[in-house]
Amino acid sequence: NNKIKFHFGGIKNPDTPKPREVFYVPNHDETFVAIETDKEASFSQVRVLFKDEGNSKEDETLEEFRHSIVESLFSQMINNRLDELRNSENPPFVYGYSFHGGTWADTKDAYQSFAMTSPDGQLKALKVLLEENERVKKYGFGQGEFERAKKDLIARLEKSFKDKDKTESNRVLGEYIRNFLVNEPMPGIEWEYNFHKEQLPTIKLNEVNQLISDYIKNTNRVVVLTGPDKEDIKKVTEKEVRDLLETVKNEDIKPYEDKEVASSLITNLPPKGSIVKETQNDKLGTTTLNLSNGATVTYKKTDFKNDEILFDAFSFGGSSLYSDEDYLETVFANNGLTDAGVNGFSKVDLGKMMSGKIVNVRPRVSGITEEISGSSTPKDFEELFQLTYLYFTSLNKDEKAFASYINKQKAFIGNMLSSPQFYFQDQYSKFVYGANPRYSGFPTPEKLDQANYDLAYQKYKERFANAGDFNFYFVGNIDDNKIKEYSEKYLANLPSTGQEETYNTTDFRPLSGSHTKIVEKGTDPKSSVRIVYQGETTYDEKEDYALSSLGEILTIKLIEKLREEEGGVYGVGARGSIRKIPYGWYSFSISFPCGPENVEKLKNAAIAEVEKIVTNGPTEEDLAKIKEAQLLERKEDLKENRFWLRLLKNADYEDKDANKVLEYENTVNNLSKADIQNVAKKYLTKGYILGIHNPEK
């Protein structure tokens, strides 16, 4: 508070402030249609707006605030339906949503339906958005949908309420700004939570269903389509859009069918296992449980958040144990496996069953590990364990769900390489990693069609068949008795082979030394420069820290030189690290955007700053700056669940001593100019890979 007064207390409002002009959007009877394309557009989008007749205003009365709750329930239900369609076998869009709220004009609100589509799927997506709005207008929502929406709404608010005294400043800041600029009410989460609890029972389904009649009219309607300009993509015409509007208006639309789902996730559970050993690390405040099937559970109880538990787990092996052929057949299929759901429940079923619960679990097969991670509230902790158990034992096999995933992926990436930035990234990656027998490159539609679902599913089952060599980590507001109970009930009884696997390391190494790759793409006068020093090394923890600190110091110097002195860039950064597994590898990169005319000058200026540190080391002033910043950052990190989760996992993942976190201040204070100069000499004098993106000539 004193710092705010010190820095801003002397600022006075002008006696005659410049008037802030307000511009109003006129109403119109006809439907406006705008269709725009661009050769560098990466994505295709559809938006239909039904603008309010009156001008927008912030909620000022309790009645208006209550109305905003009714609107939230409406949005929740319509978007649940759109999400179901997104997960259908032939999804009409990559994703879609509808809501009532602000537009491009501050003075005009609108009911808006939006979708991201495939390049040739705009009319299909528009048709579905219009049909779903008409379906609600004709039949409304059902009672089951309504009850689930209320549960979800209050669950999100309850989580915020429980953490009201531990909310990060940057999440509160936006409310203050909107309150000042547009007079948005700011009653606080406690008032909002209590008001919702009080008002939700008074809101009836027909009150929500009536909103659509206020939203959708034939006047003040706008349809906007944007997408890529390509010869092989037929551009949608205004006539096609207007014909579609008439078609949907006259369609015989059927009511929505809300299928009932089970109330329990698990139908058959084997007898529980046991905890065979329990150890405490009093320095770190952690407890480790050794389970009867060989798995280990490490957890740390914290009070950083009242309503948060984070979770991660891994086992070595991953896709490194696949043959090269199997890897290439499955690499683009792996991320679609979980779209099938678990234990006979589809992804849509699971969404309904988890209404009112805040829990998520995500399994994945990575390069050298199989992993599973997630989060929950303390109240939903058991569901996190249940889902974890099911992803180990009962992943569904569903060809239609996988087809839905592939179709969405093809729609999403269909024109991505038209973006100069994406194209440069693709070409640069191919240049550096292309000699790898496992190099898969950009996921083109052809590669996605070739993804082998059967093989990917088989490999997933193999990777998760042995839970005995998994390490599980939990950090947050944890109850000791519950985590022990759930560990025995859902983890200790997972299948185990009794074997401990490791990963395979290939002979391939990425490009290193001196090389240049120049890519010309796009017409805008924008370039980007990437300078990368990398190569194989023996891992050293002290050098890793010094190289990372060198990146922070060099960022300071590059900002001073390239942005402030040369005035040639808006942003520039350097970062360095040394990894330990699967093999020792150092990487140090410098990157910045600039005008094409400044590429050579600024590249040389950046290299000159590197050479200064190689020759002279950093200044005492710059070293002191990054030390102060590191200690301040660590002070905040120590109060974050995410930091501790990462620390505990990485200690086992990289075979490090987690207790060294307690020595961090000494490590920072002992970092010397010589340490920085030595890693600069060792790692930044062996040549670099220069990647440049320029516009086409």
Side-chain angles (χ1 to χ4, degrees):
N1 191 42
N2 289 332
K3 284 190 174 183
I4 292 174
K5 289 179 179 178
F6 176 79
H7 288 288
F8 302 104
I11 298 175
K12 304 291 184 184
N13 281 333
D15 294 331
T16 55
K18 185 178 179 180
R20 188 175 181 184
E21 290 189 70
V22 177
F23 299 92
Y24 295 98
V25 177
N27 294 322
H28 49 92
D29 292 333
E30 70 273 37
T31 295
F32 293 157
V33 177
I35 303 170
E36 297 296 335
T37 58
D38 187 285
K39 289 183 178 178
E40 296 181 9
S42 303
F43 307 109
S44 298
Q45 299 177 348
V46 172
R47 188 186 301 269
V48 56
L49 303 91
F50 301 87
K51 293 181 289 186
D52 296 349
E53 289 187 7
N55 295 317
S56 62
K57 63 185 292 291
E58 294 301 326
D59 297 334
E60 294 178 348
T61 67
L62 294 179
E63 184 180 353
E64 288 171 337
F65 200 88
R66 181 184 183 279
H67 184 73
S68 71
I69 300 176
V70 179
E71 291 192 315
S72 295
L73 292 168
F74 181 97
S75 295
Q76 178 79 43
M77 289 187 281
I78 187 73
N79 289 328
N80 285 345
R81 289 188 180 184
L82 294 177
D83 208 45
E84 283 189 36
L85 291 166
R86 184 178 71 89
N87 289 303
S88 61
E89 183 178 5
N90 294 298
F93 36 67
V94 179
Y95 66 86
Y97 59 84
S98 293
F99 72 102
H100 181 266
T103 65
W104 298 295
D106 290 339
T107 56
K108 184 66 74 173
D109 287 347
Y111 176 68
Q112 305 167 58
S113 294
F114 169 88
M116 177 177 284
T117 80
S118 62
D120 59 355
Q122 289 178 307
L123 285 176
K124 179 181 179 183
L126 177 60
K127 183 173 185 287
V128 170
L129 292 176
L130 295 169
E131 285 174 340
E132 290 310 307
N133 286 331
E134 285 296 322
R135 199 182 316 279
V136 175
K137 191 172 184 179
K138 285 188 175 184
Y139 305 106
F141 297 106
Q143 193 65 37
E145 295 176 280
F146 184 49
E147 296 304 322
R148 290 194 297 271
K150 288 194 290 185
K151 287 180 183 178
D152 285 335
L153 181 58
I154 201 67
R156 291 193 298 269
L157 278 164
E158 183 180 40
K159 180 173 174 58
S160 297
F161 169 71
K162 287 182 176 178
D163 282 325
K164 67 181 189 299
D165 57 334
K166 297 174 181 180
T167 303
E168 294 82 359
S169 298
N170 60 1
R171 296 181 61 185
V172 180
L173 185 62
E175 275 195 87
Y176 281 94
I177 293 172
R178 294 191 299 275
N179 175 262
F180 179 78
L181 292 178
V182 297
N183 201 34
E184 178 183 301
M186 194 174 59
I189 185 59
E190 183 171 0
W191 184 92
E192 286 190 44
Y193 175 60
N194 288 327
F195 188 76
H196 275 74
K197 282 204 304 181
E198 173 191 302
Q199 292 298 319
L200 274 173
T202 73
I203 297 172
K204 305 303 178 187
L205 179 56
N206 65 336
E207 188 177 351
V208 183
N209 285 337
Q210 287 170 5
L211 283 178
I212 196 76
S213 297
D214 297 329
Y215 288 162
I216 296 181
K217 309 176 187 69
N218 291 330
T219 58
N220 266 5
R221 182 168 58 181
V222 180
V223 180
V224 181
L225 279 67
T226 59
D229 182 1
K230 293 180 69 175
E231 290 183 3
D232 59 340
I233 299 175
K234 180 180 177 295
K235 185 176 179 179
V236 175
T237 66
E238 182 175 336
K239 182 180 185 305
E240 288 176 311
V241 171
R242 293 190 183 280
D243 288 347
L244 181 60
L245 292 171
E246 286 300 312
T247 298
V248 172
K249 188 168 68 173
N250 298 314
E251 264 188 340
D252 180 22
I253 294 175
K254 305 298 181 185
Y256 168 79
E257 291 184 28
D258 188 17
K259 298 176 182 176
E260 288 189 19
V261 293
S263 57
S264 176
L265 284 170
I266 294 183
T267 46
N268 293 300
L269 190 65
K272 69 178 185 178
S274 62
I275 297 169
V276 297
K277 184 181 179 183
E278 178 179 336
T279 55
Q280 271 81 32
N281 182 326
D282 294 331
K283 291 181 180 179
L284 297 180
T286 62
T287 301
T288 298
L289 310 174
N290 295 89
L291 306 183
S292 53
N293 62 350
T296 62
V297 173
T298 299
Y299 70 93
K300 179 177 173 64
K301 295 170 59 176
T302 71
D303 59 2
F304 309 141
K305 291 279 188 181
N306 298 323
D307 212 35
E308 178 181 83
I309 298 174
L310 304 181
F311 151 65
D312 208 344
F314 81 93
S315 164
F316 282 122
S319 59
S320 74
L321 303 183
Y322 300 3
S323 68
D324 290 350
E325 294 76 18
D326 287 351
Y327 174 84
L328 291 172
E329 282 193 56
T330 58
V331 63
F332 294 128
N334 289 330
N335 288 337
L337 293 172
T338 57
D339 279 28
V342 292
N343 202 30
F345 303 121
S346 70
K347 195 172 181 179
V348 172
D349 293 336
L350 290 171
K352 291 179 178 180
M353 295 170 72
M354 292 295 103
S355 293
K357 300 182 184 296
I358 297 179
V359 56
N360 71 83
V361 175
R362 302 174 299 276
R364 60 194 174 278
V365 178
S366 301
I368 61 171
T369 58
E370 42 274 351
E371 304 187 15
I372 188 163
S373 59
S375 64
S376 77
T377 63
K379 185 174 68 174
D380 303 319
F381 198 29
E382 184 168 13
E383 281 78 5
L384 181 134
F385 275 85
Q386 290 176 342
L387 286 169
T388 300
Y389 176 86
L390 292 173
Y391 277 118
F392 268 95
T393 63
S394 304
L395 180 70
N396 294 341
K397 182 126 188 296
D398 187 334
E399 297 283 353
K400 291 182 178 179
F402 185 72
S404 174
Y405 166 78
I406 291 295
N407 286 331
K408 287 195 291 284
Q409 287 297 108
K410 288 197 289 188
F412 180 69
I413 57 92
N415 207 54
M416 200 176 282
L417 289 182
S418 293
S419 162
Q421 290 74 30
F422 280 119
Y423 184 79
F424 170 62
Q425 178 62 49
D426 176 61
Q427 294 299 304
Y428 179 84
S429 295
K430 190 181 299 182
F431 182 66
V432 176
Y433 303 102
N436 187 349
R438 294 185 166 217
Y439 180 72
S440 54
F442 187 80
T444 62
E446 293 75 23
K447 292 177 183 176
L448 288 167
D449 283 334
Q450 293 166 7
N452 190 330
Y453 177 45
D454 291 338
L455 182 60
Y457 182 83
Q458 173 195 325
K459 291 293 183 182
Y460 175 97
K461 298 292 284 185
E462 290 174 5
R463 292 293 81 230
F464 284 88
N466 177 23
D469 65 349
F470 262 80
N471 297 287
F472 296 86
Y473 309 90
F474 299 87
V475 177
N477 187 7
I478 296 168
D479 180 288
D480 287 294
N481 292 328
K482 286 184 177 178
I483 194 169
K484 291 173 185 177
E485 175 192 347
Y486 299 156
S487 293
E488 289 183 329
K489 189 175 180 181
Y490 299 111
L491 300 184
N493 56 357
L494 285 168
S496 172
T497 64
Q499 297 178 333
E500 190 165 324
E501 291 182 311
T502 187
Y503 54 86
N504 288 337
T505 303
T506 69
D507 294 331
F508 168 79
R509 298 295 181 268
L511 199 65
S512 59
S514 299
H515 306 275
T516 299
K517 178 66 175 178
I518 300 175
V519 176
E520 295 181 350
K521 181 74 171 177
T523 56
D524 287 349
K526 295 188 296 187
S527 292
S528 59
V529 177
R530 183 179 300 178
I531 301 167
V532 179
Y533 304 80
Q534 64 179 23
E536 197 160 8
T537 190
T538 300
Y539 179 81
D540 181 277
E541 193 168 358
K542 184 178 178 180
E543 284 190 348
D544 180 19
Y545 170 54
L547 193 63
S548 174
S549 298
L550 171 57
E552 295 175 33
I553 289 172
L554 192 58
T555 295
I556 294 172
K557 307 313 294 181
L558 292 171
I559 289 173
E560 290 175 357
K561 183 67 178 177
L562 274 64
R563 188 174 74 183
E564 296 174 8
E565 290 183 28
E566 299 287 352
V569 300
Y570 291 109
V572 58
R575 58 191 306 171
S577 65
I578 303 175
R579 76 178 186 214
K580 188 175 184 179
I581 59 174
Y583 47 80
W585 187 261
Y586 73 89
S587 177
F588 192 91
S589 64
I590 301 168
S591 58
F592 55 86
C594 64
E597 71 281 1
N598 289 327
V599 166
E600 191 65 20
K601 179 182 74 170
L602 296 179
K603 183 264 292 184
N604 291 335
I607 297 299
E609 292 301 319
V610 172
E611 291 173 349
K612 285 179 187 177
I613 294 179
V614 169
T615 304
N616 305 315
T619 65
E620 288 287 0
E621 181 185 5
D622 288 338
L623 183 59
K625 279 182 187 177
I626 65 117
K627 284 185 174 184
E628 181 182 13
Q630 288 173 353
L631 290 173
L632 283 172
E633 184 178 359
R634 178 54 58 91
K635 184 179 177 181
E636 294 304 311
D637 284 344
L638 290 171
K639 297 181 283 188
E640 295 284 341
N641 289 329
R642 183 71 59 189
F643 170 81
W644 283 100
L645 185 71
R646 186 169 59 247
L647 174 79
L648 297 176
K649 177 186 175 184
N650 285 346
D652 291 329
Y653 188 76
E654 298 183 352
D655 192 23
K656 293 180 178 180
D657 182 4
N659 291 297
K660 284 191 175 181
V661 70
L662 305 174
E663 304 168 9
Y664 184 73
E665 187 171 349
N666 289 334
T667 300
V668 173
N669 290 332
N670 291 333
L671 182 68
S672 67
K673 290 173 56 180
D675 293 331
I676 300 294
Q677 187 177 9
N678 287 340
V679 292
K681 286 180 178 179
K682 182 174 181 179
Y683 294 115
L684 307 190
T685 56
K686 301 177 181 179
Y688 55 83
I689 303 170
L690 175 63
I692 298 173
H693 165 233
N694 282 327
E696 298 165 34
K697 294 175 182 175

